[in-house]
Amino acid sequence: MIWFAPEMSWEATPTGRRGRQQTYSNAAIQTCLSMKVLFGMALRQTTGFVESLCVWSA
């Protein structure tokens, strides 16, 4: 079972700088990379896994 803290923000806060804004927060990226290493998944598998979790949380 994987449990995410409800207060964790997945969306990045606006920086006010020029250029493309970040989509995900640094904490969300770090969490995804940790799951990738923990479960030994490829990056594409991790991306699909996290996107499937986002469907359940909506």
Side-chain angles (χ1 to χ4, degrees):
M1 177 180 285
I2 298 174
W3 181 79
F4 296 104
E7 60 271 358
M8 181 180 155
S9 175
W10 284 87
E11 292 86 25
T13 56
T15 60
R17 297 183 350 210
R18 294 178 60 158
R20 184 170 183 242
Q21 297 297 316
Q22 289 183 331
T23 304
Y24 299 104
S25 68
N26 290 336
I29 294 169
Q30 192 69 31
T31 300
C32 293
L33 292 175
S34 297
M35 287 192 310
K36 175 188 179 306
V37 171
L38 181 66
F39 295 120
M41 295 187 286
L43 186 59
R44 211 172 265 263
Q45 289 175 316
T46 306
T47 304
F49 179 67
V50 171
E51 286 176 355
S52 71
L53 292 175
C54 292
V55 171
W56 288 103
S57 64

